Amino acid sequence: MRNPGRIRNLTLAAGLLGLLSASVPFVAADRAGQGAWVLLGGMVAAIGLGTAFTLTLNMRRMRSLNVGKGVIARWHVDPTIWSRFAVDDRNAERDGRKLNNAISLRHKQGNAVEVIVGDDCLQVGGDFHRVPLAELKGVGMSAGPPSILELRFVTPRPQQSDMHYAFRFPVAIDAEAAAQGVIDHYDRRYRAKYGAR
């Protein structure tokens, strides 16, 4: 997720407007439709404020990741390698050869893309994501150059088919040992909490 602060502010505003809407029937002279105002306003307030709270926690974790707290690997991907990866990855998704990549592949032309992997989250080129350990189905690295690190997930959805996706990004040429450390870390964490896959 890019720019979580802006999204947090929007969801916070929506939540506060929902609270305000839910209170309208109690201050308005005409109480017709009171139940609808309370229900709709309360629902918007709950969703908006809940999302704003989650985004605030993510922003705190993102800030601590950027100052080095809980970092297990960090590298920079050459802009030429990143551009080639982005094109290849989009084509592979389109052809159905790879899972949908939840990482935003946008970056400023000519700038290296920084990859920071934390013990429970990651940030690629400013795009921050928590790693949902319960949904993790595998971590692996394809042979390079460049090697590609991939974390695969399955999100169960009631009354729909499960959602399969990945976090996939290149490994810098001198960072393959660090990427292997990421694989070992998440395998260890998963086994410690849920046992063998």
Side-chain angles (χ1 to χ4, degrees):
M1 150 191 5
R2 288 184 185 275
N3 201 352
R6 184 168 154 264
I7 299 167
R8 189 273 314 267
N9 292 342
L10 290 172
T11 57
L12 183 59
L16 293 174
L17 282 173
L19 279 179
L20 185 62
S21 297
S23 67
V24 165
F26 301 105
V27 294
D30 178 15
R31 293 184 174 236
Q34 176 178 350
W37 275 107
V38 171
L39 182 65
L40 183 61
M43 188 170 66
V44 170
I47 293 169
L49 295 175
T51 303
F53 177 73
T54 301
L55 288 169
T56 299
L57 294 178
N58 283 346
M59 286 169 56
R60 286 184 181 165
R61 183 63 184 105
M62 185 176 174
R63 279 194 292 271
S64 54
L65 189 69
N66 282 304
V67 297
K69 292 182 182 170
V71 171
I72 57 174
R74 184 180 222 144
W75 61 80
H76 290 84
V77 179
D78 178 88
T80 306
I81 290 172
W82 180 267
S83 296
R84 192 169 55 244
F85 161 75
V87 170
D88 292 346
D89 199 63
R90 284 190 192 106
N91 289 338
E93 277 183 22
R94 210 172 293 121
D95 298 344
R97 289 178 283 128
K98 296 206 173 170
L99 294 173
N100 179 45
N101 190 353
I103 299 290
S104 170
L105 302 181
R106 291 177 298 151
H107 81 288
K108 290 182 181 175
Q109 291 292 341
N111 289 350
V113 176
E114 183 178 39
V115 173
I116 312 171
V117 183
D119 54 11
D120 62 352
C121 59
L122 55 85
Q123 182 176 302
V124 179
D127 187 24
F128 176 84
H129 294 273
R130 291 278 187 169
V131 174
L133 194 61
E135 299 172 6
L136 184 65
K137 293 303 167 201
V139 186
M141 184 167 47
S142 67
S147 297
I148 307 296
L149 185 62
E150 182 179 63
L151 291 81
R152 294 174 301 282
F153 303 91
V154 177
T155 302
R157 297 189 297 183
Q159 302 169 350
Q160 296 181 52
S161 59
D162 294 345
M163 182 172 70
H164 297 258
Y165 67 99
F167 297 151
R168 192 170 43 252
F169 44 90
V171 177
I173 292 168
D174 59 349
E176 291 198 349
Q180 185 59 52
V182 170
I183 294 169
D184 296 343
H185 170 80
Y186 281 108
D187 280 343
R188 252 190 332 270
R189 279 196 70 205
Y190 188 92
R191 279 196 309 275
K193 190 158 187 178
Y194 302 106
R197 284 188 187 79

